[in-house]
């Protein structure tokens, strides 16, 4: 479903080259729930951005549902992103001028869905996250947990096959974080494939599959633990 | 999507009201100044009779000795001698044609109700009314018989009719020009020609005449012209008859030629006429020199729109460019502040083109509002021009095309101002945009 083969991302400035991802290999199957962990600066977010086609990669191959992403134009990537991918961000990233209903409606507008269907889908998604009665509220009138649920509803509205979540609970207290995690698990059980970047070991443990990213590569978990303990310096590919 | 973009634009305006207001004021001022000068220029340069201007011709004849130069670019006088005007008028050419000359009289009703006042009067053939599409509200043109017999008849304007007769039907009534009584045969609807193209000798934008009388009265009434009279040699002119027989140029002449064949035929006629006049010993020339200019050529030839007018329009567009430059700065600040939101939209599936269009719709709406306000400012400017120079009364106005052009120019200016900021925003890496959120 999602395949990355030897994907690398290099940021080049006048003086220095930074390898955010090196020969990154990953295969994700339909319906998986994957937690991506790793230290800050290890390349987790870069991986997520490339997976979500928000960034291009320097080399390698990335196939999404068999489509070679490297061959697509910017507009084609935007279209594919709109059709197949939903994003959930740590900072919620709701548009402050739009009320809850309108925020959830945004991806559907870009897909060109007609008004009646848009309304039905938005209502369905907001009901799903328990916010069906807050349609006219602006984001700033909601708590952090509620805002993240709106963001999840927005990600779900386009009925994506992939949900990419970047620290979805990072700005929430533990109770809210648990609620959001339960919601993501429910969505996964309903068929969506979820890739979640997190620093929270507890949340990572709840995901059926864990991968760790270190220095732009996927690391062996046990090895990673040893590295953290300072007893093993090497980084090995899985 | 357009409705959505418009909705987003309105929200954007509300979010940054001061910046929006500044931009609207900038574009409104730019459009106000530009449309003021452009409207005057447009009225000056527009075709006064688009349906007929290519069929009405003013002949120019060179009836001077060889080697005597005129001051015009083509060495031809602007006007005709009485001899030529009369000969062309009486020529057996099957075309509408009229000599024309301006004079003036004291107008009154020979009673104590209306105080006499001076009014310019034009002597013409009755073909003039047909050639220049004059509309009558009472009566009509005088007859050919009146033209031939020199009958004391007149056609007056609706405006003059209001003054003299309170707007009532005055056909058949008498009006006095100096001491001579004329019978009114028609009252014409006010001229709507902004440029007095049929006689440019005393200014292209002076008021059109309110009174017309038959050209055939020129001799019996010994009518002297109120206009330019030019000569090229010494002539001992002591009487009116001397003037009529002289080589002084002081009359205009118009002929309507409806087809290229008629134009060719008329040119042949003029060639023969000038050859004949030279043979008669009126002047000594080896060549036959004349020209036949239609209305637009005539306006161009007479520099109705001067270089100064063009410079003023150019300067006003420069002012608009300065306004646009200011708007570019304001838009850059406004749009770049929106980069995080754009990142979210891009992540949610918006293409670069959609983001670009959203921003262009916003600047277009800005242009529409600014352009509409600019029309009001332009009206103020045109009112100022009219108040300062009555000469511009008919020119300092906006016609429908200018009313429509104002918002279009404003929208175009704002789109130009918005292109770079919108391009910058839509090309920002969405991942970077999200990092700045």
């Amino acid at each position: 479903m999602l395949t990355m083969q030897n994907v690398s991302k290099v940021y080049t400035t006048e003086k220095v080259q930074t390898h955010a991802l090196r020969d990154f290999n990953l295969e994700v199957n339909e319906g998986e729930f994957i937690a991506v962990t790793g230290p800050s600066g290890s390349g987790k977010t870069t991986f997520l951005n490339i997976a979500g086609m928000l960034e291009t990669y320097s080399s390698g191959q990335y196939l999404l549902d068999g489509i070679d992403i490297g061959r697509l134009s910017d507009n084609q990537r935007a279209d594919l992103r709109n059709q197949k991918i939903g994003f959930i961000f740590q900072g919620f990233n709701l548009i402050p001028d739009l009320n809850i209903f309108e925020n959830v409606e945004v991806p559907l507008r870009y897909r060109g869905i007609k008004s009646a269907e848009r309304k039905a889908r938005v209502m369905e998604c907001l009901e799903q996250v328990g916010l069906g009665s807050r349609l006219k509220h602006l984001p700033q009138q909601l708590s952090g947990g509620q805002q993240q649920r709106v963001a999840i509803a927005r990600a779900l509205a386009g009925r994506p096959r992939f949900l990419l979540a970047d620290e979805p609970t990072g700005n929430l207290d533990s109770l809210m974080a648990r609620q959001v995690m339960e919601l993501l698990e429910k969505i996964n059980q309903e068929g969506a494939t979820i890739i979640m970047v997190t620093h929270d070991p507890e949340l990572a443990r709840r995901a059926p599959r864990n991968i760790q990213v270190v220095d732009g590569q996927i690391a062996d978990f046990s090895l990673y633990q040893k590295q953290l303990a300072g007893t093993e310096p090497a980084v090995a590919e899985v | 999507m357009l409705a959505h973009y418009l909705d987003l634009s309105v929200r954007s305006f509300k979010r940054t009201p001061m910046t929006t207001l500044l931009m609207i004021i900038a574009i409104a001022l730019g459009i106000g100044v530009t449309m003021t000068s452009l409207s005057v220029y447009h009225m000056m340069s527009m075709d006064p009779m688009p349906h007929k201007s290519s069929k009405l011709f003013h002949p120019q004849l060179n009836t001077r000795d060889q080697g005597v130069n005129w001051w015009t670019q083509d060495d031809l006088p602007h006007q005709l001698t009485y001899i030529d005007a009369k000969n062309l008028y009486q020529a057996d050419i099957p075309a509408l044609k009229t000599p024309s000359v301006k004079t003036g009289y004291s107008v009154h009703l020979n009673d104590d109700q209306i105080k006499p006042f001076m009014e310019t009067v034009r002597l013409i053939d009755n073909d003039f009314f047909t050639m220049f599409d004059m509309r009558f509200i009472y009566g009509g043109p005088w007859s050919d018989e009146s033209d031939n017999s020199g009958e004391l008849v007149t056609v007056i304007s609706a405006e003059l009719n209001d003054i003299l007769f309170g707007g009532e039907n005055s056909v058949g009534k008498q009006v006095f020009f100096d001491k001579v009584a004329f019978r009114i045969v028609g009252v014409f609807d006010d001229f709507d020609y902004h440029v007095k193209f049929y006689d440019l000798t005393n200014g292209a934008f002076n008021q059109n005449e309110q009174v017309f009388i038959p050209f055939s009265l020129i001799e019996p009434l010994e009518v002297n012209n109120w206009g330019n009279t030019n000569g090229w040699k010494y002539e001992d002119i002591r009487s009116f008859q001397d003037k009529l027989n002289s080589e002084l140029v002081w009359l205009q002449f118009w002929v309507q030629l409806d087809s290229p064949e008629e134009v060719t035929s008329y040119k042949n006629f003029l060639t023969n006429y000038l050859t004949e006049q030279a043979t008669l010993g009126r002047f000594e020339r080896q060549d036959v020199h004349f020209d036949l200019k239609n209305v637009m050529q005539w306006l161009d030839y007479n520099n109705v729109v001067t270089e100064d007018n063009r410079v003023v329009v150019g300067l006003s567009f420069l002012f608009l460019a300065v306004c646009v430059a200011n708007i570019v700065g304001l838009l850059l600040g406004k749009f770049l502040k929106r980069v995080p939101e754009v990142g979210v939209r891009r992540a949610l599936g918006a293409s670069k083109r959609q983001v670009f269009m959203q921003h262009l719709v916003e600047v277009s709406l800005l242009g529409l509002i600014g352009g509409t306000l600019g029309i009001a400012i332009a009206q103020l400017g045109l009112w100022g021009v009219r108040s300062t120079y009555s000469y511009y009364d008919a020119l300092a106005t906006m016609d429908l095309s200018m009313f429509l052009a104002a918002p279009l120019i404003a929208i175009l200016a704002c789109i130009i101002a918005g292109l770079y900021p919108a391009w910058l925003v839509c090309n920002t890496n969405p991942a970077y945009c999200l990092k700045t959120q």
Side-chain angles (χ1 to χ4, degrees):
Chain A
M1 189 182 178
L2 182 155
T3 308
M4 286 189 183
Q5 290 178 332
N6 299 321
V7 169
S8 296
K9 176 69 180 177
V10 183
Y11 295 105
T12 306
T13 63
E14 280 181 13
K15 292 180 180 171
V16 68
Q17 278 195 333
T18 308
H19 292 260
L21 287 186
R22 302 165 187 260
D23 295 329
F24 196 94
N25 292 293
L26 180 67
E27 178 111 18
V28 178
N29 297 313
E30 179 118 38
E32 280 197 283
F33 190 152
I34 302 173
V36 181
T37 55
S40 294
S42 61
K44 302 186 299 293
T45 300
T46 302
F47 154 67
L48 211 62
N49 285 339
I50 290 173
M53 294 174 282
L54 293 175
E55 272 193 86
T56 54
Y57 45 95
S58 308
S59 62
Q61 190 179 47
Y62 169 27
L63 301 175
L64 183 66
D65 279 343
I67 301 167
D68 188 347
I69 301 304
R71 294 178 181 276
L72 300 182
S73 68
D74 187 82
N75 281 342
Q76 287 171 321
R77 286 201 301 274
D79 196 38
L80 196 64
R81 188 160 59 232
N82 182 263
Q83 298 283 339
K84 292 183 184 288
I85 294 174
F87 278 99
I88 303 166
F89 306 98
Q90 178 179 359
F92 323 133
N93 286 2
L94 299 176
I95 298 171
D97 289 343
L98 305 183
N99 64 32
I100 301 313
F101 181 93
E102 291 162 338
N103 261 288
V104 178
E105 198 183 24
V106 168
L108 304 182
R109 280 190 178 275
Y110 289 123
R111 202 182 285 187
I113 292 173
K114 297 234 183 291
S115 172
E117 191 186 342
R118 280 205 311 266
K119 187 175 179 186
R121 282 215 208 172
V122 172
M123 290 307 297
E124 180 192 325
C125 294
L126 282 172
E127 292 292 349
Q128 198 177 344
V129 299
L131 288 169
S133 58
R134 305 280 181 100
L135 305 181
K136 297 291 176 192
H137 283 63
L138 291 169
Q140 58 268 32
Q141 293 170 313
L142 303 180
S143 69
Q146 287 171 324
Q147 287 189 49
Q148 194 57 299
R149 279 192 279 159
V150 174
I152 292 170
R154 182 177 64 183
L156 292 175
R159 292 179 185 155
R161 298 187 61 198
F162 278 99
L163 267 185
L164 302 179
D166 191 1
E167 298 274 7
T169 59
N171 282 3
L172 304 177
D173 62 36
S174 56
L175 178 63
M176 292 280 190
R178 205 174 307 128
Q179 285 175 356
V180 166
M181 190 59 196
E182 282 165 7
L183 188 55
L184 290 177
E185 285 168 341
K186 186 169 162 245
I187 291 163
N188 175 242
Q189 282 158 18
E190 288 168 1
T193 305
I194 299 178
I195 300 176
M196 175 182 71
V197 166
T198 183
H199 275 115
D200 188 333
E202 189 193 334
L203 290 184
R205 270 195 296 276
R206 286 176 67 162
R209 181 180 169 193
N210 271 227
I211 60 172
Q212 292 78 43
V213 179
V214 179
D215 286 344
Q217 291 179 311
I218 293 177
D220 177 77
F221 180 71
S222 56
L223 208 57
Y224 176 53
Q225 294 289 70
K226 288 174 188 171
Q227 285 170 357
L228 287 178
T231 56
E232 183 61 63
V235 174
E237 274 191 62
V238 175
Chain B
M1 252 349 227
L2 181 65
H4 179 56
Y5 292 156
L6 287 170
D7 178 45
L8 292 177
S9 303
V10 172
R11 288 169 196 255
S12 165
F13 294 163
K14 286 179 182 168
R15 198 191 312 166
T16 51
M18 280 313 290
T19 311
T20 304
L21 187 66
L22 278 174
M23 288 191 286
I24 287 175
I25 289 172
I27 192 67
L29 280 174
I31 287 296
V33 170
T34 304
M35 293 315 295
T36 300
S37 66
L38 195 61
S39 296
V40 174
Y41 179 83
H42 171 69
M43 294 304 280
M44 278 181 168
S45 60
M46 77 187 289
D47 189 341
M49 295 185 81
H51 61 292
K52 211 183 220 183
S53 60
S54 61
K55 296 175 179 172
L56 296 175
F57 292 88
H58 190 287
Q60 291 173 275
L61 308 177
N62 194 339
T63 54
R64 290 160 300 144
D65 292 345
Q66 197 79 38
V68 179
N69 296 321
W70 212 261
W71 64 83
T72 53
Q73 52 191 282
D74 54 2
D75 207 25
L76 284 166
H78 285 176
Q79 301 187 95
L80 299 181
T81 63
Y82 180 74
I83 300 167
D84 293 325
K86 192 176 175 183
N87 287 337
L88 297 189
Y89 177 41
Q90 292 176 344
D92 188 20
I93 300 284
L96 294 172
K97 53 188 182 299
T98 178
S100 162
V101 67
K102 183 175 74 172
T103 186
Y105 291 113
S106 166
V107 176
H108 60 97
L109 296 178
N110 202 26
D111 61 17
D112 56 0
Q113 300 300 308
I114 302 285
K115 189 176 170 185
F117 55 92
M118 295 305 292
E119 195 63 65
T120 53
V121 174
R122 184 159 291 274
L123 285 83
I124 51 165
D125 180 87
N126 65 355
D127 282 355
F128 185 98
F129 300 113
T130 310
M131 291 168 71
F132 296 99
D133 289 347
M134 290 176 70
R135 299 180 302 274
F136 284 81
I137 56 172
Y138 301 124
W142 56 76
S143 63
D144 289 343
E145 194 183 349
S146 300
D147 261 332
N148 296 332
S149 65
E151 194 180 354
L152 295 170
V153 288
T154 184
V155 161
I156 64 171
S157 71
E159 189 180 329
L160 189 62
N161 191 55
D162 286 343
I163 296 168
L164 295 174
F165 304 103
E168 287 181 5
N169 186 350
S170 59
V171 172
K173 292 185 178 175
Q174 271 194 335
V175 60
F176 285 78
F177 302 143
D178 287 350
K179 293 178 181 175
V180 184
F182 283 72
R183 179 170 56 86
I184 297 170
V185 296
V187 176
F188 65 90
D189 203 359
D190 292 330
F191 261 118
D192 51 8
Y193 301 132
H194 53 281
V195 53
K196 195 178 171 183
F197 60 97
Y198 57 84
D199 180 8
L200 299 169
T201 49
N202 293 130
F205 306 109
N206 282 330
Q207 197 191 17
N208 297 294
E209 285 78 20
Q210 308 290 310
V211 179
F212 292 88
I213 59 175
F215 183 75
S216 51
L217 293 171
I218 195 167
E219 288 193 35
L221 295 183
E222 296 198 355
V223 176
N224 265 307
N225 61 316
W226 279 21
N228 293 352
T229 303
N230 301 103
W232 59 273
K233 64 178 182 181
Y234 175 74
E235 293 178 282
D236 189 14
I237 297 168
R238 293 174 182 271
S239 65
F240 184 71
Q241 197 57 45
D242 288 343
K243 185 178 179 183
L244 295 183
N245 295 330
S246 73
E247 290 297 331
L248 295 174
V249 292
W250 53 289
L251 297 103
Q252 303 86 48
F253 191 88
W254 286 93
V255 58
Q256 182 172 327
L257 304 169
D258 292 327
S259 66
E261 292 75 28
E262 286 186 23
V263 173
T264 306
S265 172
Y266 199 77
K267 283 183 175 175
N268 289 337
F269 157 72
L270 290 177
T271 305
N272 294 335
Y273 170 72
L274 285 174
T275 308
E276 179 193 74
Q277 291 297 304
T279 309
L280 290 173
R282 230 181 103 196
F283 50 86
E284 289 178 7
R285 292 192 71 84
Q286 277 86 50
D287 64 332
V288 173
H289 188 200
F290 70 90
D291 199 10
L292 203 55
K293 293 185 175 77
N294 67 26
V295 172
M296 292 310 287
Q297 290 167 334
W298 188 239
L299 294 177
D300 186 44
Y301 177 76
N302 281 279
N303 292 320
V304 166
V305 182
T306 63
E307 196 57 34
D308 289 352
N309 300 126
R310 294 189 183 93
V311 168
V312 169
V313 172
L315 286 174
S316 68
F317 270 98
L318 274 180
F319 179 73
L320 180 63
V322 171
C323 295
V324 167
N326 278 290
I327 293 171
V328 172
L330 291 166
L331 281 176
L332 271 174
K334 184 182 168 96
F335 285 179
L336 290 180
K337 243 170 107 178
R338 202 185 290 168
V339 157
E341 181 191 320
V342 169
V344 176
R345 289 184 179 278
R346 295 273 283 129
L348 297 178
S351 64
K352 279 183 186 177
R353 191 172 54 81
Q354 286 171 318
V355 172
F356 192 67
M357 284 307 294
Q358 178 195 329
H359 288 83
L360 284 196
V361 167
E362 181 172 337
V363 294
S364 300
L365 186 61
L366 200 69
L368 183 66
I369 298 168
T372 309
L373 190 62
I375 290 176
I377 293 173
Q379 290 300 325
L380 204 64
L382 291 169
W383 172 80
V385 173
R386 287 194 301 270
S387 307
T388 314
Y389 307 103
S390 61
Y391 185 70
Y392 282 92
D393 275 359
L395 295 172
T397 56
M398 283 178 88
D399 66 1
L400 182 64
S401 63
M402 287 292 106
F403 269 108
L404 295 175
L408 287 179
I409 294 173
I411 289 170
L412 186 67
C414 282
I415 286 176
I416 290 169
L419 279 177
Y420 177 62
W423 179 85
L424 211 59
V425 168
C426 80
N427 274 292
T428 309
N429 184 336
Y432 168 78
C433 299
L434 290 165
K435 275 179 197 163
T436 60
Q437 178 83 318

